[in-house]
Structures are given as C-alpha cells and as structure tokens.
C-alpha cells in the first residue's frame, strides 16, 4: 500500500496503490487528510460512520472525497484512521461503507497545510491489475 504525490501545475495530484479496492479508497481518504494537515497529530477520539453511493466507481470516489471534505468544512472533523469496510454494487449503484476515527480540528495542534476546495474528475483513474488497485485523482486547491 502506498500514497504518492505526483506533479501537477496547480492542484494536488495523488496516486494510491493497494491490494484491494477498499484499501485503495481508504488510502485516498488518508491522502486527502494528509494534504490538509499532519495526520500523525490527529487523535482517534471520535468515530464517524460514512455511507456514500455512486453510479460507477468514479462517481463513488468523487462522492467519498466530497463527503470527507464536507465533514471537515461543516463539522471540523479530521480523520487519522480511515477504514473502508466494504464497497458493493447494489442494483445499479455502488455503495461504500466506512468508519473514520479522528477528532475536531484544533488550530493549536493541527498544522494547516493546504486548503482543499473540492475533489475533481480531472485525470481520475481507477485501475485493477492482478488483484491490485491503482487510483489517481486530483484535488482542487
């Protein structure tokens, strides 16, 4: 499992690699938080359950990242431990269930790194090869 920050002229371009789709999506969440702050400083004091849906894996990834941004923007919640429990296809949609451990943003303890405005579909890729997943996506900053 790995997170890699790729070159991009104006935004944040991220690549994650994992052995399952759930692990890959969890790493995408961790990468988002890592762009925003030092995730090692986030204490696992609160548990947040997240459920999102998408009509395909790309819209699911977009919805997932946007939900994490919403949790921060609306509630000040930052995650340190992101676990995607399952990604299933139900009827015509994909559904993701996750548990995130973290805490409310505290400017005294959480370094502000980069403000993320939104997730984007730009350069988004989700590839599976021999049971391993590679996901690339761009965050608008």
């Amino acid at each position: 499992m790995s997170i890699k920050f790729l070159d991009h002229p104006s935004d944040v371009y991220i690549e994650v690699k994992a052995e399952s789709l759930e692990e890959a999506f969890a790493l995408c969440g961790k990468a988002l938080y890592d762009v925003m702050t030092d995730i090692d400083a986030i204490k696992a004091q609160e548990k947040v359950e997240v459920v999102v849906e998408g009509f395909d894996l790309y819209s699911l990834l977009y919805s997932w990242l946007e939900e994490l941004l919403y949790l921060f923007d609306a509630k000040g919640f930052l995650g340190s431990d992101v676990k995607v429990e399952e990604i299933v296809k139900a009827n015509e949609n994909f559904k993701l269930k996750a548990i995130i451990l973290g805490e409310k943003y505290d400017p005294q303890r959480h370094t502000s790194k980069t403000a993320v405005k939104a997730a984007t579909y730009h350069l988004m890729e989700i590839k599976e090869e021999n049971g391993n997943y590679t996901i690339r996506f761009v965050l608008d900053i």
Side-chain angles (χ1 to χ4, degrees):
M1 297 188 328
S2 68
I3 298 172
K4 184 177 178 182
F5 293 92
L6 307 173
D7 289 334
H8 192 278
S10 60
D11 291 316
V12 178
Y13 191 19
I14 300 169
E15 176 185 85
V16 302
K17 293 186 178 199
E19 295 178 357
S20 73
L21 190 58
E22 289 82 2
E23 286 176 350
F25 270 67
L27 284 176
C28 291
K30 285 187 101 160
L32 169 67
Y33 288 126
D34 193 38
V35 168
M36 296 172 15
T37 192
D38 175 11
I39 58 173
D40 293 331
I42 302 169
K43 296 178 183 174
Q45 295 179 333
E46 291 182 47
K47 175 176 146 180
V48 174
E49 295 181 19
V50 175
V51 177
V52 295
E53 292 187 19
F55 61 87
D56 63 10
L57 289 176
Y58 294 88
S59 66
L60 185 68
L61 178 60
Y62 178 86
S63 296
W64 165 239
L65 295 170
E66 283 293 307
E67 182 66 17
L68 299 183
L69 285 172
Y70 166 78
L71 288 171
F72 177 72
D73 290 341
K75 301 180 179 183
F77 181 80
L78 290 169
S80 59
D81 185 18
V82 180
K83 182 174 185 214
V84 174
E85 294 186 315
E86 67 176 3
I87 296 174
V88 295
K89 186 166 185 181
N91 299 322
E92 296 298 313
N93 291 326
F94 286 89
K95 188 175 188 177
L96 176 150
K97 291 182 182 178
I99 294 176
I100 306 167
L101 299 177
E103 66 177 324
K104 298 257 190 284
Y105 173 71
D106 178 352
Q108 302 298 319
R109 291 190 311 97
H110 302 124
T111 306
S112 289
K113 287 165 72 173
T114 303
V116 177
K117 291 191 266 185
T120 72
Y121 283 98
H122 180 61
L123 299 173
M124 188 182 283
E125 298 177 52
I126 301 173
K127 294 181 180 177
E128 183 271 329
E129 188 174 317
N130 299 324
N132 294 308
Y133 287 84
T134 300
I135 297 178
R136 289 183 176 182
F137 62 99
V138 173
L139 297 173
D140 182 20
I141 58 172

